[in-house]
Amino acid sequence: MIELRPLQQFLAVAELLHFGRAAERLHMSQPPLTQAVRKLEAQLGVQLFERSSRSVRLTAAGAALQVSAQKLLAEAAALPGEVRAVADGLAGRLRLAFVSTVGFGGLPLWLRSFREACPQVALLLREATLDVQLHEFAAGSIDAGFVIHTPGQAPAGFERLSIGVEPLILALPSTDQPPSDAQCLAAPLVIFPREIAPSLFDAILAHHGSNGVAQEAIQMQTIINLVSAAIGVAWVPASLQGLQRAGVVYRRMDGAPEVETSLIWRADAPPAVARFVEHVASHA
């Protein structure tokens, strides 16, 4: 293995093409420098310089080594800063999962501003429901995730940043004669499967009543489309009103359940997660 110091000595001679001046630059005497270059040549099994009493010239092998050595030493010089940047969360990788509803809130802004603030952090994004995220956390496939749940009932065993609490509103098919609140609560539900967000599923059914689930769907966009088709009504976060769909109207109702959005991560998450959490907290 070639050490860095012999390469530094070689480069000094290669740049100045003079052993005496190179020794002066390196603050050493000439004989040890000459010996170090000869040792490097022996280690590589090539001649790096053509020497005469009047001149020193690089051989083809020496010219090739000069290019590689310059690159290697530049990388070595940059290495401490790169390592510190990773340790400070300013570089590295962040594998982030999110539920679809967060995309209608602050997620686009947080991602854009974080990329501007920490351009050396590679963001690997994945849309995933809570149940999928929990499996991926267990497998070590993600570092952090945005999830939804009933207020105060975030998944156990995680660090957490609460993004906010908002009411659920009712998405219902538009009609010429708007139904009463009682009629809305008597309508069948379009809802996500319980395993996706158990606490929220239970809260919705407890509020809406046991009038039957008309259809289950995973994505909120699909749920809204099914409401448009008059399959049933659906309780969705208030921020989802930005998702406009022909044939669907939104209604706020007194006493509706609330939903909380949280960013969760493991205590042993990489430093980039702490940097992202700090960023979201300052922009939420």
Side-chain angles (χ1 to χ4, degrees), residues 3-15:
E3 297 180 356
L4 295 181
R5 181 163 175 76
L7 292 178
Q8 292 170 329
Q9 294 167 334
F10 159 76
L11 282 179
V13 180
E15 291 169 7

Side-chain angles (χ1 to χ4, degrees), residues 198-282:
S199 65
L200 190 57
F201 181 97
D202 293 344
I204 290 174
L205 257 62
H207 176 74
H208 192 81
S210 55
N211 298 306
V213 173
Q215 182 66 49
E216 291 186 348
I218 294 175
Q219 301 297 333
M220 282 294 177
Q221 296 92 325
T222 304
I223 289 174
I224 295 301
N225 287 336
L226 293 175
V227 172
S228 175
I231 301 298
V233 299
W235 291 95
V236 299
S239 57
L240 212 71
Q241 289 179 92
L243 177 58
Q244 295 297 319
R245 180 72 166 85
V248 176
V249 295
Y250 296 99
R251 179 183 296 184
R252 290 181 178 267
M253 298 181 66
D254 293 337
E258 294 182 318
V259 59
E260 184 173 13
T261 300
S262 294
L263 176 60
I264 62 173
W265 66 95
R266 296 288 194 192
D268 59 351
V273 171
R275 185 69 62 172
F276 182 71
V277 171
E278 178 182 330
H279 186 83
V280 171
S282 65

Side-chain angles (χ1 to χ4, degrees):
M1 182 178 294
I2 299 176
E3 297 180 356
L4 295 181
R5 181 163 175 76
L7 292 178
Q8 292 170 329
Q9 294 167 334
F10 159 76
L11 282 179
V13 180
E15 291 169 7
L16 297 174
L17 295 178
H18 193 285
F19 277 83
R21 289 197 293 270
E24 290 177 6
R25 174 188 287 186
L26 296 168
H27 304 291
M28 62 188 299
S29 60
Q30 182 174 336
L33 176 58
T34 301
Q35 183 179 4
V37 170
R38 286 175 177 167
K39 183 177 179 181
L40 180 60
E41 288 177 322
Q43 185 176 4
L44 294 173
V46 297
Q47 183 178 347
L48 298 173
F49 297 100
E50 293 179 355
R51 307 168 180 85
S52 71
S53 59
R54 295 183 178 181
S55 66
V56 175
R57 293 189 302 171
L58 282 167
T59 63
L65 179 61
Q66 183 181 26
V67 173
S68 297
Q70 287 171 336
K71 180 179 178 181
L72 180 60
L73 291 175
E75 291 175 348
L79 187 59
E82 292 173 355
V83 172
R84 285 193 297 270
V86 172
D88 292 339
L90 296 172
R93 178 183 69 176
L94 172 57
R95 301 169 298 174
L96 180 67
F98 60 93
V99 292
S100 61
T101 54
V102 186
F104 296 94
L107 182 63
L109 172 63
W110 299 329
L111 294 178
R112 178 184 300 175
S113 57
F114 183 74
R115 287 172 65 90
E116 293 172 352
C118 301
Q120 295 183 65
V121 176
L123 277 173
L124 305 178
L125 305 174
R126 170 152 186 212
E127 183 178 347
T129 54
L130 173 60
D131 56 326
V132 174
Q133 289 191 39
L134 294 179
H135 284 299
E136 297 209 350
F137 272 116
S141 302
I142 58 174
D143 302 313
F146 287 99
V147 299
I148 57 173
H149 53 88
T150 53
Q153 295 190 37
F158 291 89
E159 304 291 319
R160 180 173 77 95
L161 172 68
S162 177
I163 304 303
V165 176
E166 61 181 323
L168 293 177
I169 59 174
L170 197 63
L172 60 152
S174 58
T175 58
D176 293 335
Q177 185 68 34
S180 66
D181 287 359
Q183 289 173 321
C184 290
L185 292 176
L189 275 174
V190 179
I191 193 171
F192 50 85
R194 185 178 185 277
E195 60 268 20
I196 284 180
S199 65
L200 190 57
F201 181 97
D202 293 344
I204 290 174
L205 257 62
H207 176 74
H208 192 81
S210 55
N211 298 306
V213 173
Q215 182 66 49
E216 291 186 348
I218 294 175
Q219 301 297 333
M220 282 294 177
Q221 296 92 325
T222 304
I223 289 174
I224 295 301
N225 287 336
L226 293 175
V227 172
S228 175
I231 301 298
V233 299
W235 291 95
V236 299
S239 57
L240 212 71
Q241 289 179 92
L243 177 58
Q244 295 297 319
R245 180 72 166 85
V248 176
V249 295
Y250 296 99
R251 179 183 296 184
R252 290 181 178 267
M253 298 181 66
D254 293 337
E258 294 182 318
V259 59
E260 184 173 13
T261 300
S262 294
L263 176 60
I264 62 173
W265 66 95
R266 296 288 194 192
D268 59 351
V273 171
R275 185 69 62 172
F276 182 71
V277 171
E278 178 182 330
H279 186 83
V280 171
S282 65
H283 288 77

